[in-house]
Amino acid sequence: MVKFSKQFEGQLVPEWKEAFVDYWQLKKDLKKIHLLNNNSKNTLTKNNHHNSLSSDFLSSLKGGLSLFGHQHKDREAIHVHKKLASSASKGDVYETELFEQFEDSDAAREFFSCLDLQLNKVNQFYKNKEKEFLDRGDCLKKQMDILVDLKSAFKQQRDKAANAAQDSTEDASIDCRISCEEDSVKDRIQQEQIQDDSTDDLEKDEVLDSSRSEEMGESRRIMKTEDSKLRTLSGRVFNSQGKNLRINIPLTTPSRTFSAISYLVWGDLVNQSSNNCNPEGSKLRVNKTKLHHAEKMIKGALIELYKGLRYLETYRNLNMLAFIKILKKFDKVTEKQVLPIYLKVVESSYFNSSDKVMKLADEVEDLFIKHFSGEDRRKARKYLKPHQHKESHSVTFFIGLFTGSFIALLVGYLIMSRITGMYSRHPDTAYMETVYPVLSMFSLMFLHFFLYGCNIFMWRKARINYSFIFELPPSNELKYRDVFLICTSSMTVVVGIMFIHLLLLMKGHSYSQVQAIPGLLLLSFLLLLVCPFNFCYRSSRYSFLRVIKNIILSPLYKVVMLDFFMADQLCSQVPMLRNLEYVACYYLTGSYKTQDYGYCMRTEHYRDLAYAVSFLPYYWRAMQVQY
């Protein structure tokens, strides 16, 4: 049976480790009490026969006092006082008073002082986190309402446009009119932009924001110039069905960056036309692509919020269980009934009695079911409660199988190379210059990948939540066993192909035909990397390609932890990139047919390209730092 301390450590949320009950410190305090009790019992056994009469007298005296109603008070060992908070931000404070005279009163006071401190800490942390999640939930609900309004307006306008003008070549969009009442409209738009900028930092996934233009009298006071335009490159206020709405999409992709610039130009045109506006007013359009992207971002924000609510629920359950376990141990050590008294206080405390988190989780689940899963609860739970992949014994079996195959093939390859004289003083230069770059390229890459698997193994041992740090979804996360399986199987294939290639050369096959085998091996790995079929970790492969794309276009993309981590790894793989460039040159130019392995080294353009390939990883990393 697993000890509770091990179970507690394995299930706690690593990011909130300091906020959990310090179960190990409480156990240390209990050990002190246990040692003191053992010492006191030894002294009592020596003087037991001298105190028998006095104990009978005291028991009869206690029985007499019980007639006057003092029995319950004498049996109580502790009493927990609840002090009201001095402010709304601080929670209630609990403090324990010891009634009975403990033999180890100092150790008992130290234990209950630590226990009260842990209870107050848990309550305060839970209250702060609950408030944070409730604010995020309210904000996302408002964003969801605005998204629904925009989608309904988009649908109405699309139906109108289909019926009225079928010969239009423009994309379907929302026609949103801005009423032009001289310069007051410009003031109102700028006021809405400034107010939105001050509140948009609450949630990074906020895509839509709404504000109502009720304070018309203050619009002239906050008139701004071009600075207010530059601050709102990614947003624009427009009026649709009586509401002032604003689409705010972060500038994280090239398309959104360029569209933001076009928004600024379009805003200048609108401001210029507002001076000479006609009764019909001007129009701002929002196309279907941006609405779809906004919907996708809100969907991701709801999933993250639900995950955080589940973490908070786990936090509450584990802390409640920790209080029960430590109080049971205290009763066992001291032989006093403290558990029922203190447990009532814990059960009535804020972190256990508040149900706001559970209600918000139900609301988030209902929102997701209604708007993102087509009323299908099972489909919604696949996103909100993804199942963790169970570690299979077959993965471990294949790791061992491929490891043994790799070692056997490598030993055979080395023996065959020795027999053919590849390591003699006059080796086959063409073979060494063409085949070994391919072998060394794959070796460096998969060695690096193997070390990454070792990192994952150590991160798990050290309780580091690397998936949270790298923001890896469960579908894209590779376990260390999966990484080892990919490395061993790939290197088995590479060494096996090299073995077959050398064997064909020994049997006298045409060198130009056999030399195409390493190129086909490289092409096979590239095709596997971009293969659209759902096998061989497709989600992880596509996630890797997405990260590489973000690195290459780093000035135009938002840099996250995974992006610059991978850029650092690329800076360590310059020799592998140089080999890849040489092999690509060797096969693309057709040099493998003529066995002219020195062509790429003699040609000036390819020689310059080699320097560029060596410089690119550092350039990409520098662009990320600039961002």
Side-chain angles (χ1 to χ4, degrees):
M1 184 176 179
V2 182
K3 291 184 178 180
F4 174 74
S5 58
K6 295 291 184 183
Q7 182 182 358
F8 182 71
E9 185 180 6
Q11 295 182 4
L12 58 81
V13 183
E15 293 76 28
W16 301 345
K17 185 175 181 180
E18 298 299 326
F20 278 82
V21 174
D22 195 349
Y23 187 77
W24 298 271
Q25 181 61 42
L26 292 171
K27 282 183 67 175
K28 289 179 182 178
D29 295 340
L30 270 181
K31 286 182 180 179
K32 293 180 183 178
I33 297 175
H34 183 62
L35 291 174
L36 291 172
N37 283 346
N38 288 337
N39 294 334
S40 61
K41 283 181 181 179
N42 292 332
T43 56
L44 285 174
T45 51
K46 295 178 181 179
N47 302 324
N48 189 26
H49 62 280
H50 296 291
N51 298 329
S52 58
L53 294 176
S54 60
S55 62
D56 293 337
F57 175 74
L58 288 174
S59 61
S60 62
L61 182 60
K62 287 182 180 180
L65 290 174
S66 65
L67 298 175
F68 294 96
H70 296 286
Q71 181 180 7
H72 177 71
K73 184 175 179 180
D74 288 341
R75 285 183 180 178
E76 279 189 352
I78 61 171
H79 180 72
V80 183
H81 298 282
K82 180 180 179 181
K83 298 180 180 179
L84 297 178
S86 58
S87 61
S89 61
K90 295 183 178 179
D92 298 329
V93 178
Y94 295 92
E95 185 176 349
T96 303
E97 179 185 358
L98 304 182
F99 277 173
E100 288 189 359
Q101 186 64 34
F102 285 90
E103 291 81 5
D104 50 342
S105 58
D106 293 336
R109 286 194 188 94
E110 185 178 352
F111 172 81
F112 280 105
S113 176
C114 183
L115 192 64
D116 294 337
L117 180 64
Q118 300 303 317
L119 179 58
N120 296 329
K121 178 182 72 174
V122 169
N123 277 324
Q124 186 64 33
F125 180 83
Y126 186 88
K127 190 173 184 179
N128 294 337
K129 278 294 175 183
E130 183 186 68
K131 184 178 181 302
E132 177 186 339
F133 286 132
L134 289 176
D135 291 341
R136 290 172 61 183
D138 292 339
C139 191
L140 281 175
K141 282 188 240 178
K142 291 177 183 178
Q143 310 294 347
M144 194 71 243
D145 293 339
I146 299 170
L147 180 62
V148 172
D149 291 340
L150 285 174
K151 289 175 71 176
S152 61
F154 174 81
K155 187 176 180 181
Q156 292 175 5
Q157 287 301 125
R158 186 178 57 184
D159 296 340
K160 252 186 223 180
N163 296 331
Q166 296 182 356
D167 57 343
S168 177
T169 58
E170 295 180 358
D171 292 337
S173 59
I174 303 176
D175 272 345
C176 304
R177 297 182 180 273
I178 300 179
S179 60
C180 299
E181 300 175 359
E182 297 180 353
D183 292 337
S184 63
V185 176
K186 181 178 178 181
D187 298 343
R188 192 189 316 161
I189 292 174
Q190 291 178 348
Q191 179 184 3
E192 295 295 332
Q193 291 172 348
I194 295 169
Q195 290 178 352
D196 289 339
D197 288 339
S198 63
T199 57
D200 281 345
D201 293 331
L202 292 176
E203 172 62 37
K204 70 176 181 180
D205 291 321
E206 293 173 13
V207 202
L208 305 171
D209 198 6
S210 68
S211 56
R212 305 184 184 277
S213 56
E214 298 175 353
E215 302 179 358
M216 298 284 295
E218 298 182 1
S219 61
R220 298 185 184 275
R221 181 173 57 84
I222 56 171
M223 176 180 277
K224 301 292 181 182
T225 56
E226 298 298 325
D227 293 338
S228 63
K229 297 179 187 177
L230 294 175
R231 284 200 309 252
T232 55
L233 283 176
S234 60
R236 182 61 60 193
V237 179
F238 60 91
N239 185 274
S240 175
Q241 297 180 349
K243 293 183 179 180
N244 286 333
L245 307 175
R246 174 176 180 263
I247 288 188
N248 179 20
I249 300 177
L251 308 181
T252 57
T253 64
S255 60
R256 276 178 270 164
T257 304
F258 297 130
S259 64
I261 298 173
S262 64
Y263 280 161
L264 180 59
V265 176
W266 180 250
D268 292 337
L269 295 176
V270 170
N271 291 331
Q272 291 176 5
S273 63
S274 64
N275 295 327
N276 302 317
C277 74
N278 49 27
E280 295 181 357
S282 302
K283 293 182 179 180
L284 288 177
R285 296 180 181 273
V286 179
N287 59 27
K288 184 178 179 180
T289 305
K290 289 183 174 56
L291 283 179
H292 178 71
H293 188 76
E295 183 178 4
K296 183 178 179 182
M297 292 182 71
I298 289 183
K299 178 181 177 182
L302 287 173
I303 293 174
E304 291 299 321
L305 177 60
Y306 191 84
K307 187 189 297 183
L309 294 173
R310 288 185 64 194
Y311 284 156
L312 196 57
E313 188 177 354
T314 302
Y315 175 82
R316 173 171 59 186
N317 295 335
L318 280 179
N319 283 318
M320 188 67 193
L321 193 57
F323 279 116
I324 294 174
K325 290 290 185 180
I326 201 65
L327 288 171
K328 280 184 178 179
K329 289 181 179 292
F330 183 85
D331 286 356
K332 184 177 180 181
V333 169
T334 61
E335 298 179 356
K336 300 185 186 301
Q337 297 298 320
V338 172
L339 174 64
I341 303 171
Y342 204 93
L343 192 58
K344 288 181 182 179
V345 178
V346 176
E347 289 176 347
S348 63
S349 61
Y350 187 85
F351 87 95
N352 188 64
S353 59
S354 178
D355 59 347
K356 294 179 182 178
V357 170
M358 298 180 65
K359 289 181 179 179
L360 181 59
D362 294 338
E363 291 177 6
V364 171
E365 188 173 350
D366 293 339
L367 272 176
F368 199 91
I369 292 171
K370 181 179 179 181
H371 297 288
F372 298 108
S373 64
E375 302 293 339
D376 189 350
R377 186 174 294 272
R378 181 177 298 178
K379 181 180 177 182
R381 290 192 173 183
K382 287 182 180 179
Y383 290 98
L384 297 175
K385 300 178 181 179
H387 295 287
Q388 296 290 337
H389 297 289
K390 295 182 179 179
E391 296 183 354
S392 176
H393 293 291
S394 60
V395 176
T396 307
F397 169 76
F398 282 111
I399 290 174
L401 177 64
F402 285 122
T403 301
S405 302
F406 165 70
I407 294 174
L409 288 171
L410 182 61
V411 171
Y413 179 79
L414 294 176
I415 293 174
M416 192 176 298
S417 300
R418 182 68 178 176
I419 293 173
T420 55
M422 291 297 174
Y423 297 107
S424 61
R425 292 184 178 181
H426 301 286
D428 190 349
T429 308
Y431 182 86
M432 299 290 290
E433 294 291 340
T434 57
V435 177
Y436 269 81
V438 179
L439 182 62
S440 62
M441 177 184 63
F442 284 113
S443 300
L444 287 172
M445 182 173 62
F446 289 114
L447 175 61
H448 201 127
F449 202 49
F450 175 79
L451 295 177
Y452 172 69
C454 296
N455 282 338
I456 295 177
F457 177 77
M458 295 307 299
W459 289 338
R460 289 191 62 182
K461 285 289 185 182
R463 299 288 300 161
I464 297 174
N465 194 351
Y466 65 92
S467 59
F468 176 81
I469 296 172
F470 292 139
E471 298 180 4
L472 297 175
S475 58
N476 297 344
E477 181 185 353
L478 287 177
K479 310 295 184 183
Y480 69 93
R481 295 174 187 269
D482 299 323
V483 175
F484 291 157
L485 178 62
I486 293 172
C487 294
T488 53
S489 59
S490 300
M491 285 307 300
T492 300
V493 172
V494 170
V495 178
I497 293 296
M498 294 294 104
F499 183 84
I500 294 173
H501 177 264
L502 187 58
L503 185 63
L504 292 175
L505 285 177
M506 287 180 61
K507 290 186 177 181
H509 287 77
S510 173
Y511 199 95
S512 59
Q513 295 178 356
V514 176
Q515 199 67 6
I517 294 179
L520 293 176
L521 175 64
L522 177 60
L523 182 62
S524 300
F525 273 98
L526 292 177
L527 291 177
L528 179 63
L529 185 62
V530 298
C531 180
F533 300 108
N534 191 13
F535 75 98
C536 194
Y537 306 102
R538 184 183 67 173
S539 59
S540 300
R541 288 188 281 111
Y542 279 21
S543 179
F544 172 76
L545 292 175
R546 195 179 305 113
V547 171
I548 295 298
K549 180 192 69 174
N550 293 348
I551 293 173
I552 295 175
L553 301 177
S554 54
L556 302 177
Y557 278 84
K558 181 180 179 181
V559 180
V560 296
M561 175 68 182
L562 185 59
D563 292 342
F564 72 78
F565 176 80
M566 285 296 299
D568 285 338
Q569 306 309 308
L570 283 179
C571 292
S572 303
Q573 285 291 346
V574 172
M576 186 268 292
L577 295 176
R578 291 283 301 268
N579 288 337
L580 177 62
E581 182 265 340
Y582 174 79
V583 172
C585 169
Y586 181 72
Y587 285 100
L588 290 177
T589 57
S591 300
Y592 71 96
K593 296 179 181 179
T594 60
Q595 302 180 24
D596 188 6
Y597 60 87
Y599 174 77
C600 294
M601 302 301 296
R602 295 192 306 269
T603 306
E604 184 178 357
H605 297 294
Y606 288 105
R607 198 164 56 244
D608 296 339
L609 183 61
Y611 291 113
V613 168
S614 303
F615 173 73
L616 275 177
Y618 303 101
Y619 168 77
W620 293 331
R621 187 68 185 92
M623 289 297 101
Q624 289 181 337
V625 173
Q626 291 296 325
Y627 183 88

